Amino acid sequence: MSAPELGAVGVDLSADALRALLVAAIEGCSVTVVENESPSGQRSLVLDHEHAVEAAIFLRDNSELRLDFCSNVTGVDWPDREVTEKVKVKKMVEGLEGATEQEVEETRKTLAPGYLEAVYHLFSMEKKHGPVILRLRTRDRAEGNHLPSLTPVWRSAEFQEREAFDLFGIVFDGHPDLRRILMWDEFADYPMRKDYVSPAEDEPVLDDGCLPGAEPGAEQGAADA
Amino acid sequence: MSRDLMMDATGNDERLAPTYGAGQHRLKAERESQILEVSIGPQHPSTHGVFRMDVKLDGERVVQLKPVFGYLHRNHEKIAENGSYLAAIPYTDRLDYLCSMTNNWGYTLAVETLAGITVPERAEYIRVIMAELTRFQNHAGLVGFLLQDMGASGTPLMYAFREREKILDLFEAVSGARMMCNYLRFGGVRVDCTPEWMKETRELVGVLPRFVDEFERLLRGNEILMARTQGVGVLPRELAVNAGVTGPMLRATGVNYDIRKVDRYGIYDRFKFRVPLGEHGDVYDRYMMRVLEMRESISILEQALKEIPEGPVQDPKTKLRGLRPKAGEAYGRIESPKGELGFYLISDGTMNPYRYRVRSPCLINLTILEDMCLGQSVADVVVTLGSVDIVMGEVDR
Amino acid sequence: MLGEGIVKGLFETARNFLGSYVDKDRLVTVQYPEERHPLPEAARNFPFLLYDGDDPEAGLRCVSCHICEKECPPRCIYIEKSTDKKPDFVGKPQFYPARFDIDVSVCMSCQICVEVCPFDAIRMDKEFELSTDDRFGGLMWTKKELSKPNEYYQKIHPVEAAETDARRAEDVEKAKAKAAAAAAAKAAEVAKAAEAARADDEGAGKEPSKG
């Protein structure tokens, strides 16, 4: 994405370098690097909730980085998934010469808990570099769907965090105006989640009785009988 | 009537000061009885679609403005996640339905970044030609609509649409449709342009400068235009950057940030063009940005049409149907006529994108609508909104 | 001078008004139902099914492979596969659609079905005056309404049609050559078998003499 000569400015924007910078600058900050195997090679940083705002302010105000432009904010849904792995376990096996300890391969199925994720793409308008990708992960997909809001740091996140709240159900603590943005206020579900089931489309709603299949008055007749 | 008198910003942390926070403005209780609530839109000719603004007025002055979205929401992202990578391209046409070519480009660029696809040289040139024609017709249309909002009924709009029509005819001749082009593919473009088409385009690019000249003569020195636009809807530079405003709106505040220059996606590094910059960040500057960018687009078109080589237009190794990029993610962005149009894709190795996200410039440019309109009159709100250049298909997605 | 800009603008308006009588660039509209702009060859509107020859049933190119149905972004194509087979243009037995419906009220004219069709069976039409007073049935086009002859395709998209026809003629030639080669191979095999049989006979005849 970034043009070759932009790297020549001397700022190392690789995920590892940024991680080192953040850990050094903010006490107790835990940052994990997410690998990206695809040819794009855009790796990202997972921040912890407590230090996310601090880290964001650091990235924005650091005179070398100056990531003053938060371009894209979005949610991603990672539902619970079953992980099958083969584990070698030491077991006492009854053999001919009594019980011996042997290594046995076992298939274990574990449930990896799902979570919701907010992804921030940062660029710098001043230094003209980027992208730096930040991720924040919720504890789970039900009650623990809270994340710190970065809207106080980058105003551009305001509508996009509202959108992530609306479509994914991520609650951003500290957002000045967290309401539904695209769906109507009475809507209960979060349509962009992977397990969302839309109400049946072919249910005639308004033009009941006008559709060729539906017989007008059929329901009424049944009720009368 | 100063803004500070009526508003009380709730700033708590000093480092968070640049957040001017829509929704942090509070009306002073004693004045509330005189406040009038007006809902502008969703059915209003100057809201450019189904957009609504809940406005609170003190007399003629705006004291609060809350944009309301969602009237055209169709969950574009979910639709694309349920379809294949190819099936998403015709849907991107319908985002910003005035600029389908640039929307296609944004999406194909993201897929190409994700899957490591290369594009043949001729296809890159064709993309630039299409993108610049799109930029020209979008800006022509926008300027026409903006003047219409100001009361220049019909005349400039019709002149703009006359030129736009000629460009749409070119789009139709090559892609088959005037607005829903569905023309770009990952790894190139769908069909090659014929030599006759190239000739027609060269002829058209030859006459377009005359239109811009005429347009400028028509309205540049117009006293009414200046009175209605200068000093109206001023956007401070610092706020524009912090609020992620992009495109001509950002450059009108004087920030030199054009993704064609910054990322040099495609082959934009081969062309010589200037990035027009404003100074005051008001409606007049935004209007002039569009007029000046039309001229730069013509200059890019002239260069591209001169240099375009022969060759294939589609990478033969790329599978269009049943593309399965390796698991991973990519963010691709282009400078669409309205600002930074980004597509964020996550692949899980299957035929459908796991996550497909559109970073819509129109929606994010509306973040600061309230800040621009506070303290202005209702008539200026209409002009300010017109200068943002929104298309509801992209705002609501 | 105040008002100078306005006067200049009005001068420009006058130039455009008068120019529209003489300059083609300034007058681009036509009186639609009487006059029409010709559509470019690439113009597309809604898909139709192609058939060869005169019989829309026998000559239908579609082999009911369901690719377009699966790739269609708004999912407006409905296909039911036949149970029996009919020979296609090269003589190979193929399935055909027992039912092929396109809901044009849903279709968004994107041309993806045309691009993915490996059998040149579906193409885009240019017809755009399609309004109907039937909200439901009138916009659900069945196989009968969709089938159009190859001549029609040659008329609306001459360059594309010529290319497709040439490719298909080549396929027919190839199929013929293959059939001929297969026939020759078969004949050779038969001859070989006959020869082997004769050799066997001869061998059988010789064997006792050897013993």
Side-chain angles (χ1 to χ4, degrees), chain A residues 23-77:
Chain A
V23 170
I26 298 159
E27 206 177 315
C29 178
S30 94
V31 183
T32 338
V33 176
V34 177
E35 296 298 327
N36 185 356
E37 296 291 317
S38 87
S40 76
Q42 294 169 354
R43 304 198 299 167
S44 43
L45 299 165
V46 183
L47 303 180
D48 61 334
H49 296 193
E50 287 75 35
H51 302 93
V53 177
E54 283 288 316
I57 292 174
F58 172 78
L59 291 174
R60 188 192 69 188
D61 295 342
N62 182 289
S63 59
E64 286 215 327
L65 298 171
R66 287 295 292 147
L67 296 161
D68 49 5
F69 170 38
C70 174
S71 167
N72 178 42
V73 182
T74 185
V76 185
D77 181 20

Side-chain angles (χ1 to χ4, degrees), chain C residues 49 51 56-57 60 62 80 82 86 96-102 140-148:
Chain C
L49 291 174
Y51 64 85
E57 280 293 326
L60 201 66
C62 177
E80 251 172 50
S82 65
K86 73 170 178 59
Y96 60 92
R99 197 178 136 212
F100 196 112
D101 296 348
I102 293 181
M140 184 66 127
W141 291 355
T142 59
K143 195 167 75 169
K144 200 169 145 236
E145 287 150 331
L146 287 167
S147 302
K148 289 190 180 157

Side-chain angles (χ1 to χ4, degrees), chain B residues 123-145:
Chain B
E124 291 275 27
Y125 273 92
I126 292 176
R127 286 179 177 194
V128 169
I129 292 169
M130 294 303 174
E132 293 311 316
L133 283 174
T134 303
R135 198 180 312 279
F136 188 93
Q137 59 99 357
N138 176 72
H139 285 352
L142 179 270
V143 168
F145 276 121

Side-chain angles (χ1 to χ4, degrees), chain C residues 15 34 44 53 65 75 78 121 123 129 138 145 166 168 199:
Chain C
R15 192 220 294 264
E34 292 86 30
R44 61 181 145 95
C65 66
R75 314 264 156 86
Y78 311 96
R123 285 292 182 265
E129 287 154 322
E145 287 150 331
R168 286 172 74 84

Side-chain angles (χ1 to χ4, degrees), chain A residues 78-85 87 107-115 139-141:
Chain A
W78 300 97
D80 303 340
R81 66 200 159 91
E82 216 170 52
V83 186
T84 326
E85 51 181 351
V87 202
T107 329
R108 266 193 204 168
K109 279 190 180 167
T110 42
L111 199 69
Y115 51 86
R139 265 192 294 117
D140 55 53
R141 296 170 75 245

